[in-house]
């Protein structure tokens, strides 16, 4: 597959075009995923100030050469200044001269940080809260981003294919999780998208159970939720498996209902559709089976540089799905007396429907 470059260089100009409508002369970006999105910089410490005329990235000496290399590689035009925090703040103060209103990312700036910036850095400007300016750009993925996510999903698929034959009675949940993580790294992942979930038997009734020393048993359900990161972008997938035949008819029915629920949700995905409609499609199937109270979370979420980002796919979401957004569809049923079932895929929203990125078989038995 040909590798398509991401259009990182075009992102700051698109953000600059949003500033007037947001009532800002400039925007301070402190959320690291947003900084990476705008500039290609992957370090752990930086601030970016975007004005109508320029972008300034400040960081510390650990990232002197890295920042220059990464912005050059991404073909991003920005001024880079390196120094200790007092030097960085002086650079930002001088770059903000003449600005009347400067936006802060409300979701990632603490009250104490806002007070410091107002009193000691941007003393001549009014600081205003902004919400989701960069995130609105991140909703729609370019071909380079989709390529990275396809690779991340393929890595996760291949890792599960390697691990699936190793699922036998007597192996511990944590051993399975560790093996999955190892295989994803071996196959090219930078890291796992999040802490891998392997939850067997009654543990499966906890949607975000942590892998334990509990041993897998024949006939019980095993929920496996995991993902890989490639070039900064995440994948997310859940499969529910069983060693041998399910021990009860109830377990088999749980799987059938969730499988039908997910199919209904996937069939409803399309650009222009309300995200809440996808949730409703999944939730209706589970409610008709008598388990509405056992579906205890939203149907899905956006995926990208962060494992959880917009749009939210749930009953109260006000988002409308956009072409080339990437979301998950992951209904579940959780019954403490039986265990849990969740089936999840990461998909690209298209004008006609959706295109799956995760493609592992959904066969129950191993």
């Amino acid at each position: 597959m040909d590798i398509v470059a991401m259009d990182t260089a075009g992102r700051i100009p698109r953000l600059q075009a949003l500033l007037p409508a947001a009532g800002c002369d400039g925007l301070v970006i402190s959320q690291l995923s947003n900084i990476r999105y705008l500039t290609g910089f992957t370090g752990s410490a930086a601030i970016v100030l975007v004005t109508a005329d320029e972008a300034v990235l400040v960081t510390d000496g650990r990232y002197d050469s890295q920042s220059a290399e990464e912005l050059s590689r991404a073909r991003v035009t920005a001024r880079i200044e390196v120094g200790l925090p007092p030097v960085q703040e002086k650079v930002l103060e001088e770059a903000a001269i003449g600005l009347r209103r400067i936006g802060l990312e409300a979701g990632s700036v603490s009250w104490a940080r806002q007070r410091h910036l107002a009193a000691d850095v941007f003393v001549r400007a009014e600081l205003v809260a902004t919400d989701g300016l960069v995130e609105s750009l991140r909703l729609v993925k370019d071909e380079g981003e989709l390529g990275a996510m396809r690779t991340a999903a393929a890595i996760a698929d291949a890792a599960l294919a390697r691990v699936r034959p190793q699922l036998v009675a007597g192996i511990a949940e944590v051993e399975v999780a560790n093996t999955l993580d190892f295989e994803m790294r071996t196959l090219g992942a930078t890291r796992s998208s999040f802490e891998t979930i392997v939850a067997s038997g009654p543990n499966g009734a906890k949607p975000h159970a942590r892998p334990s020393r509990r041993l897998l048993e024949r006939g019980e359900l095993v929920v496996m939720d995991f993902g890989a990161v490639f070039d900064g972008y995440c994948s997310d997938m859940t499969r529910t498996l069983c060693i041998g035949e399910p021990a009860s008819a109830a377990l088999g029915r749980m799987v059938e209902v969730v499988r039908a629920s997910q199919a209904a949700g996937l069939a409803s995905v399309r650009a222009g559709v309300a995200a809440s409609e996808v949730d409703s499609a999944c939730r209706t199937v589970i409610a008709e089976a008598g388990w509405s109270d056992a579906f205890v979370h939203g149907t899905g979420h956006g995926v990208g540089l962060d494992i959880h980002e917009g749009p939210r796919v749930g009953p109260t979401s006000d988002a409308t799905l956009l072409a080339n957004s990437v979301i998950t569809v992951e209904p579940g049923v959780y019954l403490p007396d039986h265990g849990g079932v969740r089936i999840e895929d990461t998909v690209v929203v298209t004008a006609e429907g959706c295109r799956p990125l995760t493609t592992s078989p959904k066969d129950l038995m191993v």
Side-chain angles (χ1 to χ4, degrees), residues 63-126:
Y63 301 114
D64 190 352
S65 60
Q66 178 182 328
S67 58
E69 291 167 0
E70 290 183 333
L71 270 67
S72 175
R73 189 179 306 126
R75 299 182 178 179
V76 168
T77 300
R79 177 157 59 98
I80 302 171
E81 299 287 349
V82 178
L84 296 173
V87 173
Q88 296 176 29
E89 292 179 352
K90 185 65 174 177
V91 169
L92 294 172
E93 179 183 1
E94 292 176 351
I97 292 174
L99 303 183
R100 295 179 296 105
R101 288 166 58 88
I102 298 175
L104 302 181
E105 295 182 300
S108 62
V109 177
S110 68
W111 175 243
R113 181 64 172 163
Q114 185 274 337
R115 293 182 66 187
H116 169 66
L117 292 173
D120 301 320
V121 183
F122 302 115
V123 295
R124 300 179 181 88
E126 176 188 1

Side-chain angles (χ1 to χ4, degrees), residues 46-276:
I47 296 176
V48 173
L49 173 63
V50 174
T51 70
D53 301 319
E54 70 167 344
V56 181
L57 182 148
V58 297
T59 186
D60 61 59
R62 294 173 296 170
Y63 301 114
D64 190 352
S65 60
Q66 178 182 328
S67 58
E69 291 167 0
E70 290 183 333
L71 270 67
S72 175
R73 189 179 306 126
R75 299 182 178 179
V76 168
T77 300
R79 177 157 59 98
I80 302 171
E81 299 287 349
V82 178
L84 296 173
V87 173
Q88 296 176 29
E89 292 179 352
K90 185 65 174 177
V91 169
L92 294 172
E93 179 183 1
E94 292 176 351
I97 292 174
L99 303 183
R100 295 179 296 105
R101 288 166 58 88
I102 298 175
L104 302 181
E105 295 182 300
S108 62
V109 177
S110 68
W111 175 243
R113 181 64 172 163
Q114 185 274 337
R115 293 182 66 187
H116 169 66
L117 292 173
D120 301 320
V121 183
F122 302 115
V123 295
R124 300 179 181 88
E126 176 188 1
L127 298 186
V128 297
T130 67
D131 182 32
L133 287 180
V134 180
E135 289 83 354
S136 69
L137 300 176
R138 289 172 56 184
L139 284 172
V140 175
K141 272 57 178 178
D142 65 34
E143 287 305 315
E145 292 176 288
L146 293 177
M149 297 186 75
R150 278 193 296 271
T151 300
I155 288 170
D157 284 331
L160 179 59
R162 291 184 178 185
V163 171
R164 189 174 176 129
Q166 302 177 43
L167 295 178
V168 295
I171 191 172
E173 294 173 346
V174 69
E175 292 181 66
V176 178
N178 289 343
T179 304
L180 262 177
D181 292 341
F182 172 79
E183 293 293 354
M184 287 191 288
R185 292 290 291 267
T186 299
L187 289 160
T190 307
R191 57 179 174 83
S192 302
S193 298
F194 50 90
E195 184 179 3
T196 295
I197 296 170
V198 176
S200 61
N203 289 345
K206 307 168 189 173
H208 274 194
R210 285 191 168 92
S212 71
R213 293 289 176 184
R214 186 181 188 278
L215 304 182
L216 275 57
E217 299 179 12
R218 289 189 63 82
E220 65 182 12
L221 302 179
V222 183
V223 179
M224 302 174 66
D225 188 347
F226 59 101
V229 175
F230 181 83
D231 201 10
Y233 284 80
C234 303
S235 69
D236 195 359
M237 175 172 66
T238 306
R239 293 294 182 262
T240 298
L241 304 175
C242 185
I243 301 172
E245 293 277 356
S248 69
L251 296 180
R253 182 167 178 263
M254 289 168 65
V255 173
E256 291 173 2
V257 168
V258 173
R259 189 179 286 150
S261 170
Q262 200 221 15
L266 291 172
S268 71
V269 173
R270 188 177 66 258
V273 168
S276 59

Side-chain angles (χ1 to χ4, degrees), residues 8 11 29-44 46 105 108 134-135 138 145 191 232-234 304-309:
T8 309
R11 295 168 183 170
I29 298 99
S30 52
Q31 212 271 352
L32 289 175
S33 293
N34 286 343
I35 291 173
R36 177 167 187 165
Y37 177 79
L38 292 172
T39 69
F41 177 66
T42 65
S44 63
E105 295 182 300
S108 62
V134 180
E135 289 83 354
R138 289 172 56 184
E145 292 176 288
R191 57 179 174 83
Y233 284 80
C234 303
L305 285 169
D306 293 316
I307 189 59
H308 293 109
E309 57 182 53

Side-chain angles (χ1 to χ4, degrees), residues 316-354:
T316 62
S317 174
D318 60 0
T320 299
L321 299 183
L322 303 173
N324 279 8
S325 287
V326 178
I327 64 170
T328 66
V329 178
E330 50 179 305
V333 167
Y334 309 93
L335 303 174
D337 291 339
H338 299 281
V341 177
R342 184 166 63 256
I343 301 173
E344 173 190 20
D345 286 297
T346 302
V347 302
V348 181
V349 179
T350 69
E352 298 78 24
C354 67

